[in-house]
Amino acid sequence: MKKRIFATVLTIALMFSLSGVCFAAESVFSKVYIDSNEYTYVTTAKKSNDNSDAEIKIMAFYKADGSSSWTYTKAWVKATSSGEGRIGILNVWVPVPIPSAYRSAGKYVDLYAHGFNPSLDCRISGYWNVH
């Protein structure tokens, strides 16, 4: 009986310790305001390995006031303030290059975004995965 309890506790502890490693590289963001003309900080995530690309998946766009919108489908995104811009597309995982200074495991990689239409600020929700 004691061995069974010990094995159960050990299994649960192992599951929790591994889940922290698996999810450390992903950040979920919700209804973050982004400017239409300038890159705006969205979120950050801590890298778990030394790869050169992150990924973003924008799950929803909203009007600047937070209300629902079906007209927005894209936004400019980049890894860190000095990164190279890419177009983030609604419901599609898009690779985003990480600048070389931020590629090491343990580094935090910020996500920045700005609206695709220069006259419309908006809000976005989604996932930022830096592996």
Side-chain angles (χ1 to χ4, degrees), residues 43-47 54 79-80 98-99 102-103 107-111 128 130:
T43 190
T44 193
K46 186 177 180 180
K47 289 185 56 56
T80 77
I98 300 172
Y102 297 89
R103 291 180 183 167
K107 295 276 189 176
Y108 285 90
V109 182
D110 296 337
L111 169 64
W128 175 235
V130 298

Side-chain angles (χ1 to χ4, degrees), residues 72-124:
Y72 298 89
T73 59
K74 300 182 244 182
W76 286 99
V77 296
K78 65 181 180 176
T80 77
S81 60
S82 62
E84 183 181 332
R86 290 286 192 261
I87 297 174
I89 303 168
L90 183 64
N91 293 319
V92 175
W93 282 105
V94 175
V96 180
I98 300 172
S100 59
Y102 297 89
R103 291 180 183 167
S104 303
K107 295 276 189 176
Y108 285 90
V109 182
D110 296 337
L111 169 64
Y112 285 81
H114 80 71
F116 196 75
N117 183 333
S119 65
L120 296 172
D121 297 344
C122 64
R123 293 180 181 270
I124 58 174

Side-chain angles (χ1 to χ4, degrees), residues 19-63:
S19 68
V21 172
C22 293
F23 296 115
E26 184 171 89
S27 177
V28 179
F29 53 93
S30 180
K31 288 191 174 183
V32 176
Y33 174 85
I34 60 171
D35 188 81
S36 61
N37 297 307
E38 295 180 18
Y39 278 99
T40 307
Y41 170 83
V42 175
T43 190
T44 193
K46 186 177 180 180
K47 289 185 56 56
S48 58
N49 64 35
D50 296 339
N51 66 332
S52 59
D53 284 328
E55 292 181 310
I56 184 172
K57 185 173 187 180
I58 300 172
M59 298 299 294
F61 281 91
Y62 306 91
K63 295 178 184 174

Side-chain angles (χ1 to χ4, degrees), residues 8-19:
T8 302
V9 170
L10 185 61
T11 302
I12 291 171
L14 183 60
M15 287 172 46
F16 278 112
S17 68
L18 290 176
S19 68

